[in-house]
Amino acid sequence: MPSVYDLKPKFQNLLRPLVKLLARIGVTANMVTLAAMLGSIAYGIWIYQPFATHGPNPYPFLFLGLFLFIRMALNAIDGMLAREHHQQSLFGAYLNEVGDVVSDAALYLPFLDLMGHGMGWVLMIGLCCLTEFVGLQGKTIGASRRYDGPFGKSDRAVFFGALGLFTAWAVFENKQQLHGIVMNWAMLIASLLALITIINRVRRGIQEARS
């Protein structure tokens, strides 16, 4: 199935001049990874606004897609710094995988504050995180780190960015009932796509290891 991840080589080519500049001024891959993770946690707090006394703030949802795009760029940059500028390390490998899962959880869990069926949303996010675990497991059986779709990191960024835009519109227009219906369907679709992704990564990882 097609995936946004297939566009990664073209995206990297656009970022390569910036990556070279960052390497020259001493920015490391681990710095970029940490920035992406801490930025995601901060953005998630902005979405949730635990100390706010008013209703949902539409603006964090409105700009979520833009932030997810920036995070995708940072994820690409840290990988290019590691591979192309000899910054690969064992700690960096751990940090990269942990950072992705923490960032996803920080950005998607705050949607729970708007949902009436929280457990289903938690299970869906759990499946999304499981796709990354399963992808990483490819290395343990002699295959590569699997990035098969249709619901990898980049695909989820587009999906949740669109949900953010819809949520902002629903808050602006006071469409809570419609928002609840759409979000429940989105939860089911995302769960199904994540499950398909898990199956694809397991199956293709085994095929690669056997070959």
Side-chain angles (χ1 to χ4, degrees), residues 187-208:
M187 175 188 67
L188 292 172
I189 292 169
S191 298
L192 178 60
L193 290 174
L195 186 59
I196 293 171
T197 301
I198 291 168
I199 294 170
N200 284 342
R201 291 183 178 188
V202 170
R203 180 170 55 84
R204 292 173 187 171
I206 292 173
Q207 288 175 347
E208 182 186 353

Side-chain angles (χ1 to χ4, degrees), residues 49-129:
Q49 297 189 86
F51 306 109
T53 57
H54 53 74
N57 183 356
Y59 293 102
F61 295 101
L62 182 63
F63 298 112
L64 179 60
L66 175 61
F67 180 81
L68 287 168
F69 178 80
I70 293 171
R71 185 189 148 205
M72 278 197 298
L74 291 174
N75 286 340
I77 288 169
D78 69 9
M80 294 169 71
L81 283 170
R83 290 188 306 274
E84 299 176 9
H85 296 274
H86 313 293
Q87 296 182 14
Q88 290 178 318
S89 67
L90 297 177
F91 175 71
Y94 274 105
L95 183 63
N96 189 56
E97 296 295 340
V98 171
D100 284 340
V101 174
V102 170
S103 296
D104 277 358
L107 291 170
Y108 305 153
L109 281 174
F111 277 90
L112 279 168
D113 200 37
L114 303 173
M115 298 297 296
H117 300 82
M119 185 53 66
W121 196 259
V122 171
L123 290 174
M124 179 269 288
I125 295 173
L127 285 172
C128 291
C129 292

Side-chain angles (χ1 to χ4, degrees), residues 13-55:
N13 288 336
L14 293 174
L15 292 172
R16 190 157 278 111
L18 175 59
V19 172
K20 291 179 180 178
L21 173 62
L22 292 174
R24 279 201 303 269
I25 64 177
V27 175
T28 68
N30 288 351
M31 289 179 185
V32 177
T33 304
L34 279 172
M37 182 175 67
L38 295 176
S40 297
I41 293 171
Y43 201 97
I45 293 172
W46 186 35
I47 294 174
Y48 182 54
Q49 297 189 86
F51 306 109
T53 57
H54 53 74

